[in-house]
Every structure is written in structure tokens, then in C-alpha cells.
Amino acid sequence: MSEADGPNTEGSGGSNGANGPDSERVSTEKGSAENLPSRTRRRFPDISSRAYEHPADRSALVALRKLSGFDTVFKALSGLLPERSLRLLFLSDSVRVSDEQFAHLNAMLRDACYILDLEKVPTMYVTQDPQPNAMCIGMDEPLIVVTTGLVELLDEEEMRAVVGHEVGHALSGHSVYRTILLFLTTLALRVAWIPLGNLAVLALVTALREWFRKSELSADRAGLLVGQDVKASMRGLMKIAGGNHLHEMNVDAFLKQADEFEASGDLRDSVLKILNVLPRSHPFTTVRAAELRKWAGSREYQRLMDGHYPRRTEDKDTSVTDAFRESAAHYADTVKQSKDPLMGLIRDLSNGAGDLGGKLRDRFTGAGAQRTQGSQDASSDPADATDRTGSTDSTDPTDPTDPTDPAPGSPGSSNPSE
């Protein structure tokens, strides 16, 4: 696809002369020359990727963007061989999206770039692969690749969210900075023979994968900004998890799985969750759906849709300290709100290390949750609680006076829902 100033605004109904997204929308009608969707979408002129980036992703990107010159040199070096090889590979063995080939995907791509105000439309290819997948790669110029498995799996609005997801990666520069950090990781591997060097490399790779996972949450948000249809985004994630059996699936039930995954089990399950997610570059699909639903219902998203968002022209003035402070606050809030047993233990320890052995025992065996439930049952019926305290030993797990039983409302009792 050739370079363009942006998607054709005549078919999109927008105007670059508008004052902002409050007055500028992408107005499209089904059956038009570009075959765009039959509803209006808001556009975000000069939007900074900081507007939709996850706090942990944002802090890393802000810090990397401050390394002026390094990314420019790296882009130039990367463009000499590896990127040229990839472009030739897809050019020779995949189908390039254009007005003549996969025209509906081409319209979605141009529409997504127009909504997020990405001036240079990336080249997109469709490659034969039954596994549903999409990616944005390339240092010098972003390159989007979607598989036939994904194209066949999703409907138009679900696919629009995926295209927006990949355009969000391009706007954030994820492909550039991911490659830089992978390059640094490769260099770090060469010092792994130094005492403690292997541990340092392991810590770096672990942190890198954590950032990758957070960058996927950022791109999910960009997909929602492009599609502006929460239900379509949810359906798309659900299909990626369970295949093209939409009549057999339910979004609410799917989202409940994420709640159950977070809250179920004891400390042993918390450790297994961590071990399961560590090697992954993407968060679990149910977790992605729950995170996106949470963001779609937030004040931050509503303000963005109302036209209040950071501008790209302000990126150079962004404070690295403020970005890391926001990231730290997010993780602290995650620990505070989480229903995971390990996070509950961390809250307990932060509020005081008294009876550490008892707390560890309860978290490993799940007894703490059972005691909390017993306390709630007793408090719901005072007469019944009196009978029980009068007829049982004072160390009974349901006894509200048990010294190891957390009081209702304390960090060891039931936690607020997500």
C-alpha cells in the first residue's frame, strides 16, 4: 500500500478543519463507495497514544521516548536487513490488502488510521494460517499481518476492533521499542556467564514479558476507540478463546470466568497462576475482556470520548517521573482491589505482620476464606450466632471472637469486586 496523507475523508465524512472530536465524527453509510459501516464514529485528531495506554505500558514508553537519537539509529540499522527480508517474505507469499484485494479490510484500515489520526497508513497483508492471529511488526515502517483464520472467524465489527488494535500498536511504537528491548536482552545474554548474570537476565526477560502483556491491554483499548462497540470487542475476544460458536457462548458468563480465575483457590493456586502467565506474551483472553470492560466503564474512557485527551504535540513535555508514579499507583490499586489470595496476603502483611504463621496457613489451605464466610453467616443472624457461641468451643472457626478471624471490613475479609 502506498503512503498517503490519511484515509480518504470524503468517504469518511470528517474534516481536518474541525476544532476537535466533539464536532468531528466519521460519518459512514452502508453501500457507500468505500463500503464503510452504517453508523457514526468519533474521530480523535492529534491524539497521543498516552490517552489509551495502560499505566505500566505508558511509563515504559515515556522513558524510552526520552532516549532521543537511539531509536532513530536503531531504526536505520534494522531497516538494512531484517525488515527488508520480512517485507519481501510477505510480498512474495501473502496477499497485500488494497482496493483490489480484501477491499473491506482496506476500508477498515484506512478508517482506523483516520479515527486515530495516524497519517501514514501501514501496509497490511493476509497470510494463510488457520490459527487466528494478527501482529504489527517493523521498525522503519509498521507492517500489519492478519491470518486467514482470524479473517474467517470474526464478523465485520469484531474485525474492526482487531484492526484498531494493530493500528494502536503502530501509533504507540510498540514494534520499535519491543525490538530495541529484545536487542538489549540479546546483549544481556552474553553476560549471563558472569556470577549472578543469569539471574539478571531472567529478571530482565520477566519484566519485558510483563510489559508486552500490558502493551496488549493498551492495544485492546485502541481497538475499542476505533470500533467504539464494546460488545463487538467482547465477542471478538470470546471467539478467539472459544472459536466460531457464538450461539453456544455468553459474554456475561465468559466475563464471570475472569472473576472466578482471580478469586478462586488458595495461595498455591496464586503461585500456579503466576507460573502459567510468566512465559506468555499476551494476557489470558478472559482477563483481557475483563480489563477492557473495566476501562470502557471508567471516567477516563468517558472523558476521552468527550474530547478530553492528551495531544501528540505534548508528548515531548511528558514527565517520566509522573508516568512511573501513575504506574506505581496502578499496581498498588491492583493489590488493594484484587481478590487473589496472594494479593490478600500482601495486604495482610502490609497492615501488620501479627500472626504471620496463621495467615500463611490460612492462605495455603483456603481456611481464611471459610472463616470469613462463617463470620458473615453468624453476623447475618444474631440469635443463631449467640446459640453457636454458647454451645461450642471459643476456637470454633465460625466464632466471631476467634483471634485469628479477620473482622468484617478488614483486609482479611471479603474484598470488593473488580
Side-chain angles (χ1 to χ4, degrees):
M1 183 181 295
S2 61
E3 180 179 345
D5 292 334
N8 187 349
T9 56
E10 292 182 2
S12 299
S15 170
N16 290 332
N19 294 327
D22 288 338
S23 58
E24 183 170 5
R25 290 173 178 265
V26 183
S27 179
T28 58
E29 295 183 6
K30 205 159 191 174
S32 65
E34 296 193 18
N35 193 28
L36 293 176
S38 57
R39 65 185 182 85
T40 299
R41 287 181 174 82
R42 188 176 297 281
R43 183 177 180 251
F44 307 97
D46 194 38
I47 188 173
S48 168
S49 60
R50 292 180 292 117
Y52 58 80
E53 285 163 353
H54 186 279
D57 178 29
R58 186 188 308 133
S59 62
L61 290 173
V62 168
L64 287 168
R65 287 166 186 152
K66 293 295 183 180
L67 299 176
S68 59
F70 181 70
D71 59 336
T72 303
V73 173
F74 200 84
K75 282 182 183 180
L77 293 175
S78 176
L80 294 177
L81 286 177
E83 187 167 330
R84 288 175 180 268
S85 176
L86 280 175
R87 291 182 183 279
L88 287 173
L89 177 63
F90 287 113
L91 181 64
S92 62
D93 206 31
S94 301
V95 176
R96 183 169 55 192
V97 173
S98 65
D99 288 334
E100 292 78 27
Q101 302 183 117
F102 290 100
H104 71 291
L105 293 181
N106 190 48
M108 289 182 192
L109 176 62
R110 295 175 66 84
D111 193 38
C113 292
Y114 181 72
I115 289 174
L116 295 180
D117 200 15
L118 184 64
E119 293 185 357
K120 192 171 184 178
V121 180
T123 304
M124 177 186 282
Y125 285 96
V126 176
T127 188
Q128 173 64 33
D129 188 342
Q131 182 72 24
N133 196 13
M135 56 185 173
C136 179
I137 57 178
M139 290 281 293
D140 187 36
E141 296 180 5
L143 178 72
I144 296 174
V145 181
V146 297
T147 65
T148 52
L150 188 68
V151 175
E152 294 165 1
L153 176 66
L154 305 181
D155 67 24
E156 181 180 1
E157 293 305 297
E158 296 158 5
M159 192 67 197
R160 188 178 301 280
V162 170
V163 173
H165 176 110
E166 301 307 326
V167 171
H169 276 313
L171 182 58
S172 288
H174 285 144
S175 59
V176 174
Y177 296 112
R178 280 183 175 188
T179 308
I180 290 175
L181 288 186
L182 287 172
F183 173 74
L184 295 177
T185 303
T186 302
L187 290 180
L189 287 172
R190 298 184 179 182
V191 301
W193 58 272
I194 300 176
L196 300 181
N198 191 39
L199 292 177
V201 170
L202 180 61
L204 178 60
V205 171
T206 300
L208 190 59
R209 285 174 176 162
E210 170 66 5
W211 176 41
F212 283 10
R213 290 189 291 270
K214 294 301 185 285
S215 72
E216 291 301 321
L217 298 180
S218 298
D220 284 342
R221 295 176 177 186
L224 178 58
L225 292 180
V226 169
Q228 298 174 25
D229 185 343
V230 179
K231 293 181 179 179
S233 295
M234 295 292 107
R235 291 198 311 269
L237 289 169
M238 191 167 60
K239 281 185 175 181
I240 290 173
N244 193 17
H245 304 281
L246 198 59
H247 62 288
E248 297 285 355
M249 297 183 285
N250 179 276
V251 171
D252 291 335
F254 183 66
L255 291 171
K256 285 180 182 178
Q257 292 180 219
D259 296 333
E260 183 178 344
F261 172 76
E262 181 184 16
S264 63
D266 51 38
L267 198 57
R268 292 166 296 184
D269 296 288
S270 297
V271 174
L272 291 174
K273 293 175 193 176
I274 295 173
L275 294 177
N276 284 338
V277 79
L278 279 180
R280 295 176 61 93
S281 62
H282 286 59
F284 294 116
T285 316
T286 55
V287 174
R288 290 174 62 184
E291 286 285 336
L292 188 59
R293 176 193 59 176
K294 182 178 178 181
W295 187 68
S298 68
R299 176 172 173 75
E300 176 186 358
Y301 175 74
Q302 188 56 56
R303 282 181 53 81
L304 199 159
M305 294 300 294
D306 289 340
H308 305 289
Y309 53 82
R311 290 335 199 230
R312 213 170 298 164
T313 50
E314 303 166 352
D315 283 348
K316 62 181 182 298
D317 301 321
T318 306
S319 168
V320 177
T321 302
D322 290 344
F324 276 103
R325 187 180 294 116
E326 290 177 8
S327 178
H330 166 78
Y331 278 110
D333 186 63
T334 298
V335 172
K336 182 179 179 181
Q337 300 293 333
S338 177
K339 295 173 284 187
D340 183 82
L342 178 59
M343 297 298 103
L345 177 61
I346 293 174
R347 286 195 301 271
D348 288 345
L349 296 180
S350 66
N351 291 331
D355 192 26
L356 177 59
K359 290 177 180 178
L360 285 173
R361 182 183 65 249
D362 289 348
R363 295 293 177 181
F364 266 110
T365 62
Q370 295 173 6
R371 292 187 178 190
T372 301
Q373 183 61 45
S375 296
Q376 293 173 342
D377 292 343
S379 62
S380 65
D381 190 345
D384 183 59
T386 302
D387 291 341
R388 275 185 290 190
T389 55
S391 59
T392 61
D393 186 80
S394 60
T395 59
D396 187 276
T398 60
D399 184 359
T401 61
D402 185 355
T404 63
D405 186 34
S410 71
S413 63
S414 60
N415 301 312
S417 61
E418 182 179 15

